[in-house]
mmCIF file of all heavy atoms in Angstrom:
data_model
loop_
_atom_site.group_PDB
_atom_site.id
_atom_site.type_symbol
_atom_site.label_atom_id
_atom_site.label_comp_id
_atom_site.label_asym_id
_atom_site.label_seq_id
_atom_site.Cartn_x
_atom_site.Cartn_y
_atom_site.Cartn_z
ATOM 1 N N ASN R 18 104.193 93.169 94.442
ATOM 2 C CA ASN R 18 104.538 94.167 95.527
ATOM 3 C C ASN R 18 105.998 94.067 95.830
ATOM 4 O O ASN R 18 106.531 93.036 96.232
ATOM 5 C CB ASN R 18 103.692 93.864 96.768
ATOM 6 C CG ASN R 18 103.766 95.007 97.748
ATOM 7 O OD1 ASN R 18 103.076 96.035 97.559
ATOM 8 N ND2 ASN R 18 104.585 94.873 98.741
ATOM 9 N N THR R 19 106.697 95.189 95.670
ATOM 10 C CA THR R 19 108.119 95.282 96.061
ATOM 11 C C THR R 19 108.311 96.083 97.311
ATOM 12 O O THR R 19 108.980 95.677 98.252
ATOM 13 C CB THR R 19 108.988 95.837 94.906
ATOM 14 O OG1 THR R 19 108.480 97.119 94.543
ATOM 15 C CG2 THR R 19 109.016 94.920 93.742
ATOM 16 N N ASN R 20 107.780 97.310 97.358
ATOM 17 C CA ASN R 20 107.949 98.159 98.523
ATOM 18 C C ASN R 20 106.640 98.807 99.025
ATOM 19 O O ASN R 20 106.699 99.670 99.882
ATOM 20 C CB ASN R 20 108.996 99.245 98.206
ATOM 21 C CG ASN R 20 108.563 100.165 97.108
ATOM 22 O OD1 ASN R 20 107.700 99.863 96.318
ATOM 23 N ND2 ASN R 20 109.199 101.314 97.066
ATOM 24 N N GLY R 21 105.530 98.382 98.519
ATOM 25 C CA GLY R 21 104.236 98.846 99.028
ATOM 26 C C GLY R 21 104.000 98.371 100.444
ATOM 27 O O GLY R 21 104.412 97.238 100.780
ATOM 28 N N SER R 22 103.364 99.153 101.247
ATOM 29 C CA SER R 22 103.107 98.789 102.638
ATOM 30 C C SER R 22 101.654 98.968 103.047
ATOM 31 O O SER R 22 100.931 99.719 102.365
ATOM 32 C CB SER R 22 103.984 99.616 103.594
ATOM 33 O OG SER R 22 105.371 99.335 103.379
ATOM 34 N N ASN R 23 101.256 98.317 104.089
ATOM 35 C CA ASN R 23 99.930 98.405 104.655
ATOM 36 C C ASN R 23 98.831 98.011 103.740
ATOM 37 O O ASN R 23 97.738 98.568 103.693
ATOM 38 C CB ASN R 23 99.674 99.869 105.153
ATOM 39 C CG ASN R 23 100.727 100.352 106.105
ATOM 40 O OD1 ASN R 23 101.139 99.635 107.000
ATOM 41 N ND2 ASN R 23 101.228 101.555 105.902
ATOM 42 N N ASN R 24 99.075 97.018 102.916
ATOM 43 C CA ASN R 24 98.097 96.492 101.950
ATOM 44 C C ASN R 24 97.494 95.180 102.474
ATOM 45 O O ASN R 24 98.196 94.392 103.072
ATOM 46 C CB ASN R 24 98.751 96.245 100.572
ATOM 47 C CG ASN R 24 99.248 97.516 99.973
ATOM 48 O OD1 ASN R 24 98.462 98.384 99.660
ATOM 49 N ND2 ASN R 24 100.577 97.626 99.777
ATOM 50 N N THR R 25 96.248 94.934 102.133
ATOM 51 C CA THR R 25 95.570 93.703 102.456
ATOM 52 C C THR R 25 94.943 93.102 101.171
ATOM 53 O O THR R 25 94.158 93.836 100.558
ATOM 54 C CB THR R 25 94.514 93.872 103.525
ATOM 55 O OG1 THR R 25 95.111 94.443 104.672
ATOM 56 C CG2 THR R 25 93.804 92.586 103.866
ATOM 57 N N ALA R 26 95.295 91.892 100.825
ATOM 58 C CA ALA R 26 94.783 91.287 99.606
ATOM 59 C C ALA R 26 94.251 89.896 99.988
ATOM 60 O O ALA R 26 95.000 89.081 100.546
ATOM 61 C CB ALA R 26 95.837 91.154 98.530
ATOM 62 N N MET R 27 93.021 89.646 99.674
ATOM 63 C CA MET R 27 92.406 88.290 99.958
ATOM 64 C C MET R 27 91.658 87.838 98.690
ATOM 65 O O MET R 27 90.709 88.494 98.281
ATOM 66 C CB MET R 27 91.447 88.382 101.141
ATOM 67 C CG MET R 27 92.137 88.784 102.410
ATOM 68 S SD MET R 27 91.066 88.681 103.803
ATOM 69 C CE MET R 27 91.031 86.952 104.108
ATOM 70 N N GLY R 28 92.169 86.791 98.092
ATOM 71 C CA GLY R 28 91.586 86.229 96.896
ATOM 72 C C GLY R 28 92.601 86.017 95.822
ATOM 73 O O GLY R 28 93.620 86.683 95.774
ATOM 74 N N TYR R 29 92.315 85.115 94.928
ATOM 75 C CA TYR R 29 93.195 84.760 93.816
ATOM 76 C C TYR R 29 93.558 85.989 92.997
ATOM 77 O O TYR R 29 92.684 86.718 92.562
ATOM 78 C CB TYR R 29 92.470 83.716 92.959
ATOM 79 C CG TYR R 29 93.215 83.325 91.701
ATOM 80 C CD1 TYR R 29 94.237 82.384 91.747
ATOM 81 C CD2 TYR R 29 92.868 83.863 90.462
ATOM 82 C CE1 TYR R 29 94.909 82.024 90.615
ATOM 83 C CE2 TYR R 29 93.546 83.504 89.301
ATOM 84 C CZ TYR R 29 94.586 82.552 89.378
ATOM 85 O OH TYR R 29 95.257 82.200 88.256
ATOM 86 N N GLN R 30 94.827 86.298 92.904
ATOM 87 C CA GLN R 30 95.384 87.406 92.124
ATOM 88 C C GLN R 30 94.885 88.790 92.623
ATOM 89 O O GLN R 30 94.985 89.757 91.833
ATOM 90 C CB GLN R 30 95.168 87.228 90.668
ATOM 91 C CG GLN R 30 95.926 86.052 90.063
ATOM 92 C CD GLN R 30 95.735 85.967 88.563
ATOM 93 O OE1 GLN R 30 94.740 86.381 87.963
ATOM 94 N NE2 GLN R 30 96.748 85.399 87.910
ATOM 95 N N SER R 31 94.418 88.901 93.831
ATOM 96 C CA SER R 31 93.970 90.218 94.321
ATOM 97 C C SER R 31 95.276 91.087 94.505
ATOM 98 O O SER R 31 96.263 90.619 94.956
ATOM 99 C CB SER R 31 93.203 90.090 95.605
ATOM 100 O OG SER R 31 93.863 89.413 96.586
ATOM 101 N N LEU R 32 95.166 92.331 94.146
ATOM 102 C CA LEU R 32 96.290 93.294 94.168
ATOM 103 C C LEU R 32 97.517 92.716 93.534
ATOM 104 O O LEU R 32 98.653 92.995 93.883
ATOM 105 C CB LEU R 32 96.594 93.663 95.646
ATOM 106 C CG LEU R 32 95.772 94.847 96.185
ATOM 107 C CD1 LEU R 32 95.909 94.957 97.693
ATOM 108 C CD2 LEU R 32 96.170 96.169 95.538
ATOM 109 N N ASN R 33 97.366 91.940 92.484
ATOM 110 C CA ASN R 33 98.415 91.249 91.797
ATOM 111 C C ASN R 33 99.531 92.177 91.280
ATOM 112 O O ASN R 33 100.715 91.878 91.431
ATOM 113 C CB ASN R 33 97.856 90.432 90.639
ATOM 114 C CG ASN R 33 98.911 89.680 89.878
ATOM 115 O OD1 ASN R 33 99.518 90.218 88.939
ATOM 116 N ND2 ASN R 33 99.138 88.443 90.247
ATOM 117 N N SER R 34 99.185 93.301 90.671
ATOM 118 C CA SER R 34 100.189 94.189 90.020
ATOM 119 C C SER R 34 100.690 95.287 90.949
ATOM 120 O O SER R 34 101.552 96.046 90.567
ATOM 121 C CB SER R 34 99.557 94.822 88.768
ATOM 122 O OG SER R 34 99.168 93.785 87.855
ATOM 123 N N ASN R 35 100.158 95.385 92.130
ATOM 124 C CA ASN R 35 100.564 96.432 93.019
ATOM 125 C C ASN R 35 102.071 96.283 93.348
ATOM 126 O O ASN R 35 102.502 95.275 93.808
ATOM 127 C CB ASN R 35 99.775 96.364 94.350
ATOM 128 C CG ASN R 35 100.003 97.563 95.254
ATOM 129 O OD1 ASN R 35 99.503 98.615 94.992
ATOM 130 N ND2 ASN R 35 100.824 97.415 96.258
ATOM 131 N N SER R 36 102.834 97.317 93.058
ATOM 132 C CA SER R 36 104.287 97.256 93.353
ATOM 133 C C SER R 36 104.664 98.164 94.497
ATOM 134 O O SER R 36 105.379 97.756 95.394
ATOM 135 C CB SER R 36 105.080 97.574 92.101
ATOM 136 O OG SER R 36 104.739 98.881 91.641
ATOM 137 N N SER R 37 104.130 99.393 94.497
ATOM 138 C CA SER R 37 104.526 100.303 95.535
ATOM 139 C C SER R 37 103.325 101.063 96.130
ATOM 140 O O SER R 37 103.519 101.950 96.970
ATOM 141 C CB SER R 37 105.543 101.352 95.011
ATOM 142 O OG SER R 37 105.007 102.024 93.870
ATOM 143 N N GLY R 38 102.151 100.720 95.737
ATOM 144 C CA GLY R 38 100.961 101.367 96.304
ATOM 145 C C GLY R 38 100.828 101.023 97.763
ATOM 146 O O GLY R 38 101.235 99.957 98.221
ATOM 147 N N ILE R 39 100.291 101.980 98.553
ATOM 148 C CA ILE R 39 100.143 101.798 99.969
ATOM 149 C C ILE R 39 98.665 101.857 100.424
ATOM 150 O O ILE R 39 97.842 102.496 99.769
ATOM 151 C CB ILE R 39 100.967 102.760 100.791
ATOM 152 C CG1 ILE R 39 100.540 104.215 100.486
ATOM 153 C CG2 ILE R 39 102.457 102.598 100.501
ATOM 154 C CD1 ILE R 39 101.150 105.236 101.379
ATOM 155 N N SER R 40 98.384 101.194 101.502
ATOM 156 C CA SER R 40 97.082 101.278 102.158
ATOM 157 C C SER R 40 95.915 100.880 101.281
ATOM 158 O O SER R 40 94.882 101.532 101.266
ATOM 159 C CB SER R 40 96.869 102.670 102.769
ATOM 160 O OG SER R 40 97.924 102.974 103.667
ATOM 161 N N ASN R 41 96.047 99.807 100.525
ATOM 162 C CA ASN R 41 94.971 99.304 99.687
ATOM 163 C C ASN R 41 94.379 98.068 100.352
ATOM 164 O O ASN R 41 95.061 97.327 100.993
ATOM 165 C CB ASN R 41 95.526 98.886 98.310
ATOM 166 C CG ASN R 41 96.064 100.079 97.570
ATOM 167 O OD1 ASN R 41 95.306 100.956 97.177
ATOM 168 N ND2 ASN R 41 97.382 100.129 97.352
#
């Protein structure tokens, strides 16, 4: 994640590749 906002990730490598996605 570089500029994605409002994301929540819980767990090993969750949302690992998300760079700019929002609200995940």
Side-chain angles (χ1 to χ4, degrees):
N18 193 79
T19 54
N20 63 340
S22 294
N23 305 316
N24 296 297
T25 302
M27 297 186 79
Y29 176 80
Q30 294 184 331
S31 57
L32 274 166
N33 180 273
S34 302
N35 189 76
S36 58
S37 58
I39 60 170
S40 302
N41 296 293

